[in-house]
Amino acid sequence: MCKKGPVTLNLTTPFKRVRPRARSERDAGILWEDVTTLVAAAILAWLIVQYVIQVGHVNQNSMHPTLEHGERILVNVLSPRYRLPERGEIIVFADPRGVEHFLIKRVVGLPGDRVEIRDGAVLVNDQPFPEAPTVQPHDEDRGPIVVPPGSLFVMGDNRPSSLDSRDFGPIPADSVRGFAVFRVWPLDRIGLLH
């Protein structure tokens, strides 16, 4: 059996005292950390804005009432580099008429699709296109047109007053700059875009 005795410490080795840093040295270190954090955050924000998400400003009525003039949206600019948009997605693309601005429309037809409009009803490959509930139909007949390879057929939701593929034809798929994904302004209409 082990006897418990008093615990002893050997204090013959002197402790080395650490000199505390001067206040100005500490402040300089904290300031340097703050500056590097801000620079890193600025670089990260710039990369995100350039290559992932951009804020767009709607300045047309062709997507009314889905998108109203003056609204602000987030545009995914990364995905178009890796995939084609799907039918029904809202895209931002370069104006095919050579004007230096962007248009925003809904994808209706993909490469190889046969698009036709009969009495205002959109048919894709002879099947009714599943329209968003916000689409304003326009009683007209168009087509049929087969979407060429590397192209997309796009239409605005405000069909009576939308300049789209019915007028300028299918657009080049490589003209797509992004997918409209989220409305950020006005606050009472904030939310995902469908």
Side-chain angles (χ1 to χ4, degrees), residues 7-190:
V7 176
T8 59
L9 295 174
N10 181 359
L11 297 177
T12 57
T13 308
F15 288 104
K16 185 175 181 183
R17 290 197 63 169
V18 178
R19 184 181 67 83
R21 290 195 300 177
R23 184 173 180 82
S24 62
E25 289 178 27
R26 283 194 311 257
D27 292 347
I30 291 170
L31 180 62
W32 177 248
E33 287 176 16
D34 290 347
V35 168
T36 55
T37 300
L38 286 174
V39 169
I43 291 170
L44 182 60
W46 180 82
L47 288 171
I48 289 170
V49 167
Q50 290 298 312
Y51 300 107
V52 181
I53 295 285
Q54 292 181 357
V55 177
H57 181 251
V58 178
N59 60 4
Q60 53 191 277
N61 291 312
S62 66
M63 289 296 291
H64 169 80
T66 306
L67 291 170
E68 301 287 349
H69 182 80
E71 290 185 336
R72 304 263 182 204
I73 58 173
L74 294 181
V75 179
N76 173 346
V77 295
L78 179 64
S79 292
R81 297 176 185 167
Y82 302 104
R83 70 169 180 90
L84 276 176
E86 299 173 7
R87 285 185 205 94
E89 280 190 292
I90 300 172
I91 61 170
V92 176
F93 58 96
D95 192 322
R97 299 168 299 166
V99 183
E100 290 189 17
H101 68 272
F102 296 100
L103 300 177
I104 184 165
K105 309 287 179 198
R106 191 178 297 276
V107 175
V108 173
L110 300 175
D113 283 348
R114 183 177 182 270
V115 180
E116 184 176 4
I117 303 170
R118 285 190 220 146
D119 297 322
V122 178
L123 304 172
V124 177
N125 301 324
D126 296 317
Q127 299 296 316
F129 181 69
E131 298 279 22
T134 53
V135 168
Q136 305 297 304
H138 181 53
D139 192 25
E140 65 177 335
D141 293 322
R142 297 278 181 110
I145 182 171
V146 176
V147 182
S151 300
L152 302 167
F153 193 92
V154 296
M155 295 174 72
D157 285 0
N158 186 5
R159 303 282 162 78
S161 62
S162 175
L163 180 69
D164 51 38
S165 288
R166 296 171 295 171
D167 305 297
F168 49 67
I171 64 163
D174 61 5
S175 70
V176 176
R177 294 296 177 257
F179 304 152
V181 292
F182 197 82
R183 180 183 5 255
V184 294
W185 185 263
L187 294 177
D188 62 337
R189 284 175 47 93
I190 196 167

